[in-house]
Amino acid sequence: MKKILFAINKLGIGGAETVIINQVNLMDKTKYDVYLGIMYSTTQSNNLYHKIVIPLDKIIHFNFNKFFDIAGFWRV
């Protein structure tokens, strides 16, 4: 089984976020081990977490503080 990581900045409501969630949800889970990586914390109350159908342990929060966060890049 191949592992696939989809990465996005945040999971606020938007077009790119919707596309990533749709791709994650529609991947064939029998062929691919799908993970979702989120670079920054989503602090908005309106977000797309409720639409994710993969287990919570496959959602990875990298918690970047800023773009040049060396520790954040190390976590990735």
Side-chain angles (χ1 to χ4, degrees), residues 4-54:
I4 296 180
L5 171 66
F6 289 94
I8 188 98
N9 282 339
K10 293 183 179 182
L11 272 185
I13 296 188
E17 294 84 354
T18 302
V19 169
I20 290 291
I21 295 298
N22 288 338
Q23 288 180 336
V24 166
N25 291 341
L26 294 175
M27 292 294 297
D28 185 356
K29 308 302 187 288
T30 61
K31 292 182 182 178
Y32 304 104
D33 195 10
V34 180
Y35 292 85
L36 175 63
I38 303 169
M39 300 301 171
Y40 297 95
S41 297
T42 304
T43 56
Q44 302 168 330
S45 60
N46 291 336
N47 57 53
L48 296 175
Y49 279 99
H50 65 280
K51 292 190 175 192
I52 302 172
V53 296
I54 61 174

Side-chain angles (χ1 to χ4, degrees), residues 47-65:
N47 57 53
L48 296 175
Y49 279 99
H50 65 280
K51 292 190 175 192
I52 302 172
V53 296
I54 61 174
L56 291 178
D57 64 334
K58 300 215 178 203
I59 300 172
I60 305 163
H61 295 271
F62 294 110
N63 295 323
F64 273 65
N65 294 324

